[in-house]
Amino acid sequence: EEVSVRGIAHQKNVTKVSLVGVPDQPGTAAKIFAGIGKHEVNINLIVQAEHHGGKNDISFLVESSAFLRVSRFLDELVALVGGERAVVDENVATVSLVGEGVQREPGIAARMFTALAREGINIDLISTSNLMITCVIPKDRAEDAVRALHRELFEKGVVQEPRLD
Amino acid sequence: EEVSVRGIAHQKNVTKVSLVGVPDQPGTAAKIFAGIGKHEVNINLIVQAEHHGGKNDISFLVESSAFLRVSRFLDELVALVGGERAVVDENVATVSLVGEGVQREPGIAARMFTALAREGINIDLISTSNLMITCVIPKDRAEDAVRALHRELFEKGVVQEPRLD
Ligand SMILES: C[C@@H](O)[C@H](N)C(=O)O
Ligand SMILES: C[C@@H](O)[C@H](N)C(=O)O
């Protein structure tokens, strides 16, 4: 199938919250997001990767304007699930490649990550779906990242030749 | 805005690979996915969450039929980036809620996670975009998960009242 990148999106008004060392057992994620829901805070991204010995970390992004509210109940949330601590980073932004099937082609993901690496931009979180690849990067690098991705993917042409399989 | 879940998707023919303890510096993710791309393996999901002291883990899902090929170059990939080890889990499946804006409403994420928790299903990975929330769960629980989500979100009605803000 032919994969093409339709666009590059980015968002700077986000703050990252990571609940570190939460128990890796059924119910933990439910309690966290039910707790956040009570405060009517909108979420931009939720990411959880590999567990380590019965514990895991859950990261989420909220709009920066909502972070003050979130910060008021963060300790309570960590205590509720028996986590170790909350880590906050306000210096983050998202940059996303958008297009049907972009995450399937390792070539496209590699080009995205390579374009960021060439600019010396460190990737903090990665989340994908069949429609987009999203990277969380330092906020002060967002414009450089968008420019680098545009150069790599649009100016060099990214519409893949239809595969013959 | 009114958020509604359009559907529930799941996929069982996937295998999880996690590259554990990779250096958290620019270029690591690029090398990994350029390496995978050389072997023409399609990826179903890429997830990376919080780093710990200069190291991070990157997890990805491949179609189970492609895993044999991946397993042949996995050690080389770990060595290429200076990671600690690769962890493989073939007993995984994905279950996803699909609908515009589903990840923004913590209520919907909470209902998804709560429906899984009630069935005693542990969530192994989480990845979201503005179109879907995907959970990686044990493969032998996929049908239970889909049934539980259907009951929670469709039978109880999930179209949210339009917000007045
Ligand atoms: C860590 C958290 O996701 C846990 N595994 C759960 O199912 O809720
Ligand atoms: C861990 C990995 O994502 C690294 N931070 C990178 O930018 O490639």
Side-chain angles (χ1 to χ4, degrees), chain A residues 12-15 41-42 44 62-72 90 139, chain B residues 104:
Chain A
K12 290 176 70 175
N13 68 335
V14 288
T15 295
V41 170
N42 276 351
N44 283 43
V62 295
E63 274 155 38
S64 298
S65 58
F67 176 66
L68 189 64
R69 269 192 302 151
V70 172
S71 66
R72 296 204 181 106
E90 301 192 60
K139 204 188 295 283
Chain B
R104 281 185 68 73

Side-chain angles (χ1 to χ4, degrees), chain A residues 15-75:
Chain A
T15 295
K16 182 184 76 168
V17 177
S18 293
L19 300 187
V20 172
V22 300
D24 183 27
Q25 64 200 25
T28 298
K31 278 184 211 148
I32 291 169
F33 290 92
I36 295 169
K38 270 193 333 230
H39 297 269
E40 294 194 357
V41 170
N42 276 351
I43 310 270
N44 283 43
L45 195 75
I46 306 171
V47 181
Q48 172 194 311
E50 192 59 39
H51 60 90
H52 286 271
K55 292 223 181 268
N56 207 329
D57 307 329
I58 297 183
S59 297
F60 57 91
L61 298 184
V62 295
E63 274 155 38
S64 298
S65 58
F67 176 66
L68 189 64
R69 269 192 302 151
V70 172
S71 66
R72 296 204 181 106
F73 63 87
L74 215 43
D75 289 339

Side-chain angles (χ1 to χ4, degrees), chain B residues 99-116:
Chain B
E100 186 59 42
V102 282
Q103 104 286 8
R104 281 185 68 73
E105 292 269 337
I108 290 191
R111 286 177 72 177
M112 179 181 194
F113 301 153
T114 301
L116 297 175

